[in-house]
Amino acid sequence: MPLNRRTFLGASAAAGAGVAIAGGSAAPAAADGHGHGHGHGRPPKRYSFTVMGTTDLHGNVFNWDYFTDKEFDDKAHNDVGLAKISTLVDQVRREKGRRNTLLIDAGDTIQGTQLSYYYAKVDPITARRGPVHPMAQAMNAIGYDAAALGNHEFNYGIPVLRKFEEQCDFPLLGANALDAKSLRPAFAPYVIKRMRTPHGRDVKVAILGLTNPGIAIWDKANVGGKMVFPGLEEQAAKFVPRLRSMGADVVIVSAHSGSSGTSSYGDQLPYVENAAGLVAEQVPGIDAILVGHAHQEIPEYFVENKRTGKKVVLSEPLKWGQRLTLFDFDLVWEKGRWVVEKAGSRVLNSNTVEEDPKITGLLADEHEKVVAYVNQVIGTSTAAMTTAEAAWKDEPIIDLINVVQAETVKAALAGGEYAALPVLSQASCFSRTAQIPAGDVTIKDAAGLYPFENTLEARLLTGAQLRDYLEFSARYYVQTPVGAPVDTAKLTNADNTPDYNYDAVSGLTYEIDIAKPNGSRIVNLAFEGKPLDPAAQFVLAVNNYRASGGGNFPHVAGAKQLWANSEEIRNTIIAWVQAKGSVDSAQFASVDWRLTREGTPVF
């Protein structure tokens, strides 16, 4: 869809250059008696304010898990959702004075729950007289001042994102989301807020938004030819001096980018994926960075700027509204301007408060609609299936994903040049709590098996490349010598490899020898009972995340694309179950891979 240049650039320029009054009268901060060169023995003028931050909300308003259809809970008894965040925000505003606070977000807002999916796809906000997105309603009611764009904002296409932007009472910021033709920012790059002090001198707070350059790869189908996403450091270096020259006393970056300086995409990504720390280190003039994307909890982390030696404070609140970051700034009036004397951060836990009834009441109807939607029965299953042991055993529930993907790709290639090639399929255990019950199967059961909005592709690979692919995947297991006890709680996730970056491949048979070192674990790799021919060609049914380089698996991102579609794999599974009416695991389940040590099965 062509972008509307008027709204595209006009709104951006207005919001980008806009200055909003955020402050009012405030109680003067106590003077500490340090002269700071003020002379005449008078105490210096001081002012303190707080910036609150969330990130990676991923469509969570209620403390609810739509995949299990019950209140959210995890091992640490975290809670989720904007309704909880709202209560924390109210507490901070009461304590500090509303006029001495700002509230910002670091992106990944409109994707992740069935609530957000429903209003993008089932009852879309883009429809004529369509609904207002629940995340826009909640964030408007809470009173956000700005939010950076996350990579998942682009999952449903630019029209959905633009409609969401229109529905928000605050700007969506992305200084490195550029119009592909003009190379001008496609969204507001920044916003400047004024904090009124008791001293007649406002504090100008600039909030610069930066998003993830990986969008160009991960959502190529949605942004290709329309937007480009240069590196965070490059764009911060352009904008921070500009903001300072415009009189910004405090510069805060809201960055949808982790702090580690690494990329999970290897050479596929031309810019660093997790660049927030590098921005702090390389770009002078930044006081604080709200970090997003990595789903880590970082209460307070200081990075020294290499050019100035000044320390920049970074904080990342835990995903889904589990934490709220507080940046506290103490300013002093020096030589005719406000100077940040001290900045620190901490996080508040949303499980310490109740949900704000203002928010739950506002969206009760939307919540009930989505609960009814996910409980629709789409078929039956002859047996119960679960992912509880799927991280170390070939389980029927993962075979279900693979059979759906393989059949879909076979049908798509039928009658074409590659129709005769065997189709293999990759799948991961995305959640260890997913289950398909015996009896009625609902949308939530199928959706819980595949919680991501990935789409399906077909890529051409050789036997030798598939061996490399499986060897790479097998790094997921901790090397465990023959005779040593095997504890499943410690066997997986070697080197912090997440479950979604371990792939089982169906259509081949193989063993993974966990006693062997990485790179030599795949044993007895065979196709149709014969050792795999390194030169043989295969079609791999693969999700777009993996095909675009996600997880940095070898060969697949550079492999020839034979087919791709825009339908989510989750919906393909739902449609497959609906079409079959009954799921019988006996028809597709088989043990194609197992963990061994010197030929002896581990389980």
Side-chain angles (χ1 to χ4, degrees), residues 250-411:
V250 181
V251 174
I252 299 162
V253 174
S254 184
H256 193 77
S257 180
S259 63
S260 65
T262 61
S263 286
S264 60
Y265 282 71
D267 297 336
Q268 293 298 315
L269 200 55
Y271 305 103
V272 176
E273 178 183 355
N274 294 304
L278 298 174
V279 170
E281 194 176 82
Q282 296 174 16
V283 181
I286 297 167
D287 294 295
I289 302 181
L290 177 66
V291 178
H293 183 62
H295 290 202
Q296 304 286 317
E297 181 175 347
I298 305 173
E300 182 178 61
Y301 174 55
F302 288 97
V303 173
E304 189 172 299
N305 185 272
K306 282 186 169 174
R307 280 171 56 188
T308 64
K310 182 188 161 186
K311 285 191 164 51
V312 182
V313 63
L314 280 67
S315 180
E316 181 175 10
L318 199 57
K319 64 186 186 295
W320 306 345
Q322 295 179 36
R323 304 287 185 275
L324 177 70
T325 280
L326 304 187
F327 290 107
D328 291 313
F329 297 95
D330 294 333
L331 278 63
V332 63
W333 182 260
E334 264 185 4
K335 297 175 183 171
R337 65 188 192 94
W338 287 109
V339 177
V340 176
E341 190 176 46
K342 185 183 173 195
S345 63
R346 57 199 164 101
V347 296
L348 303 181
N349 193 331
S350 66
N351 74 3
T352 61
V353 295
E354 296 299 315
E355 291 184 312
D356 184 346
K358 176 182 72 185
I359 303 302
T360 54
L362 180 69
L363 292 162
D365 290 350
E366 287 84 346
H367 175 66
E368 284 167 19
K369 269 188 200 171
V370 175
V371 168
Y373 164 75
V374 300
N375 281 292
Q376 287 177 47
V377 174
I378 53 171
T380 59
S381 176
T382 58
M385 294 181 279
T386 171
T387 55
E389 297 187 322
W392 54 86
K393 287 184 187 175
D394 187 350
E395 291 285 342
I397 197 165
I398 304 297
D399 293 338
L400 173 60
I401 298 173
N402 276 326
V403 74
V404 171
Q405 293 183 163
E407 284 187 9
T408 303
V409 167
K410 275 179 196 163

Side-chain angles (χ1 to χ4, degrees), residues 36-380:
H36 285 281
H38 279 258
H40 310 297
R42 284 182 306 185
K45 296 169 184 169
R46 295 184 179 280
Y47 176 68
S48 299
F49 72 100
T50 296
V51 177
M52 298 173 278
T54 53
T55 192
D56 296 277
L57 292 167
H58 283 289
N60 285 280
V61 174
F62 295 82
N63 187 39
W64 194 260
D65 184 341
Y66 293 95
F67 294 130
T68 60
D69 200 23
K70 58 188 182 190
E71 191 172 299
F72 176 89
D73 197 22
D74 63 11
K75 286 178 187 169
H77 301 298
N78 287 303
D79 287 347
V80 300
L82 278 169
K84 292 262 181 176
I85 291 295
S86 183
T87 304
L88 289 175
V89 166
D90 282 349
Q91 287 181 355
V92 174
R93 285 173 175 161
R94 278 196 303 273
E95 180 193 338
K96 308 279 184 183
R98 166 116 193 195
R99 292 168 170 178
N100 304 316
T101 65
L102 295 171
L103 174 60
I104 64 175
D105 183 80
D108 276 5
T109 305
I110 59 170
Q111 174 278 340
T113 62
Q114 287 292 283
L115 180 72
S116 52
Y117 176 82
Y118 187 88
Y119 287 97
K121 293 283 196 176
V122 183
D123 183 10
I125 60 171
T126 46
R128 192 162 173 265
R129 296 184 181 163
V132 178
H133 199 289
M135 294 302 285
Q137 289 192 59
M139 293 173 85
N140 289 343
I142 295 167
Y144 273 77
D145 292 289
L149 293 163
N151 52 288
H152 284 287
E153 259 64 86
F154 294 85
N155 285 175
Y156 297 120
I158 290 170
V160 169
L161 175 54
R162 287 294 182 196
K163 190 66 182 178
F164 174 70
E165 179 188 30
E166 189 185 302
Q167 293 177 343
C168 290
D169 295 341
F170 51 90
L172 301 183
L173 306 177
N176 61 329
L178 310 182
D179 175 26
K181 292 183 177 64
S182 70
L183 297 184
R184 290 171 61 190
F187 293 84
Y190 59 83
V191 67
I192 296 177
K193 310 293 279 188
R194 280 184 184 270
M195 313 296 288
R196 287 247 171 95
T197 76
H199 307 295
R201 306 278 189 170
D202 292 349
V203 174
K204 289 170 79 172
V205 182
I207 301 154
L208 177 68
L210 296 169
T211 192
N212 207 290
I215 296 163
I217 293 171
W218 310 327
D219 264 309
K220 187 178 179 181
N222 289 326
V223 300
K226 297 172 186 171
M227 293 188 194
V228 293
F229 302 86
L232 285 87
E233 308 100 303
E234 174 189 320
Q235 290 302 101
K238 279 185 187 175
F239 278 98
V240 173
R242 190 181 302 179
L243 293 169
R244 288 291 183 184
S245 71
M246 290 166 65
D249 301 298
V250 181
V251 174
I252 299 162
V253 174
S254 184
H256 193 77
S257 180
S259 63
S260 65
T262 61
S263 286
S264 60
Y265 282 71
D267 297 336
Q268 293 298 315
L269 200 55
Y271 305 103
V272 176
E273 178 183 355
N274 294 304
L278 298 174
V279 170
E281 194 176 82
Q282 296 174 16
V283 181
I286 297 167
D287 294 295
I289 302 181
L290 177 66
V291 178
H293 183 62
H295 290 202
Q296 304 286 317
E297 181 175 347
I298 305 173
E300 182 178 61
Y301 174 55
F302 288 97
V303 173
E304 189 172 299
N305 185 272
K306 282 186 169 174
R307 280 171 56 188
T308 64
K310 182 188 161 186
K311 285 191 164 51
V312 182
V313 63
L314 280 67
S315 180
E316 181 175 10
L318 199 57
K319 64 186 186 295
W320 306 345
Q322 295 179 36
R323 304 287 185 275
L324 177 70
T325 280
L326 304 187
F327 290 107
D328 291 313
F329 297 95
D330 294 333
L331 278 63
V332 63
W333 182 260
E334 264 185 4
K335 297 175 183 171
R337 65 188 192 94
W338 287 109
V339 177
V340 176
E341 190 176 46
K342 185 183 173 195
S345 63
R346 57 199 164 101
V347 296
L348 303 181
N349 193 331
S350 66
N351 74 3
T352 61
V353 295
E354 296 299 315
E355 291 184 312
D356 184 346
K358 176 182 72 185
I359 303 302
T360 54
L362 180 69
L363 292 162
D365 290 350
E366 287 84 346
H367 175 66
E368 284 167 19
K369 269 188 200 171
V370 175
V371 168
Y373 164 75
V374 300
N375 281 292
Q376 287 177 47
V377 174
I378 53 171
T380 59

Side-chain angles (χ1 to χ4, degrees), residues 320-546:
W320 306 345
Q322 295 179 36
R323 304 287 185 275
L324 177 70
T325 280
L326 304 187
F327 290 107
D328 291 313
F329 297 95
D330 294 333
L331 278 63
V332 63
W333 182 260
E334 264 185 4
K335 297 175 183 171
R337 65 188 192 94
W338 287 109
V339 177
V340 176
E341 190 176 46
K342 185 183 173 195
S345 63
R346 57 199 164 101
V347 296
L348 303 181
N349 193 331
S350 66
N351 74 3
T352 61
V353 295
E354 296 299 315
E355 291 184 312
D356 184 346
K358 176 182 72 185
I359 303 302
T360 54
L362 180 69
L363 292 162
D365 290 350
E366 287 84 346
H367 175 66
E368 284 167 19
K369 269 188 200 171
V370 175
V371 168
Y373 164 75
V374 300
N375 281 292
Q376 287 177 47
V377 174
I378 53 171
T380 59
S381 176
T382 58
M385 294 181 279
T386 171
T387 55
E389 297 187 322
W392 54 86
K393 287 184 187 175
D394 187 350
E395 291 285 342
I397 197 165
I398 304 297
D399 293 338
L400 173 60
I401 298 173
N402 276 326
V403 74
V404 171
Q405 293 183 163
E407 284 187 9
T408 303
V409 167
K410 275 179 196 163
L413 298 179
E417 144 181 35
Y418 301 98
L421 289 181
V423 177
L424 313 177
S425 177
Q426 64 76 229
S428 304
C429 175
F430 292 122
S431 161
R432 297 195 188 188
T433 58
Q435 54 189 342
I436 302 290
D440 286 348
V441 177
T442 63
I443 284 176
K444 78 168 186 283
D445 298 326
L449 179 57
Y450 214 108
F452 297 104
E453 270 86 15
N454 294 342
T455 57
L456 190 59
E457 298 193 15
R459 296 281 177 133
L460 186 66
L461 288 131
T462 65
Q465 289 175 325
L466 284 160
R467 177 181 282 279
D468 289 347
Y469 188 100
L470 290 169
E471 285 287 7
F472 184 89
S473 186
R475 304 182 317 159
Y476 172 73
Y477 295 105
V478 174
Q479 188 174 1
T480 312
V482 176
V486 175
D487 178 358
T488 56
K490 297 174 182 172
L491 177 64
T492 62
N493 308 102
D495 296 322
N496 294 316
T497 303
D499 290 348
Y500 61 75
N501 276 342
Y502 169 67
D503 286 359
V505 173
S506 72
L508 302 173
T509 55
Y510 56 97
E511 296 170 15
I512 300 172
D513 190 330
I514 59 171
K516 293 188 171 176
N518 286 338
S520 57
R521 290 180 169 181
I522 302 300
V523 182
N524 298 327
L525 178 57
F527 174 67
E528 293 184 342
K530 296 175 186 169
L532 186 68
D533 176 359
Q537 288 193 315
F538 296 88
V539 177
L540 182 66
V542 58
N543 70 53
N544 68 310
Y545 172 77
R546 189 70 78 237

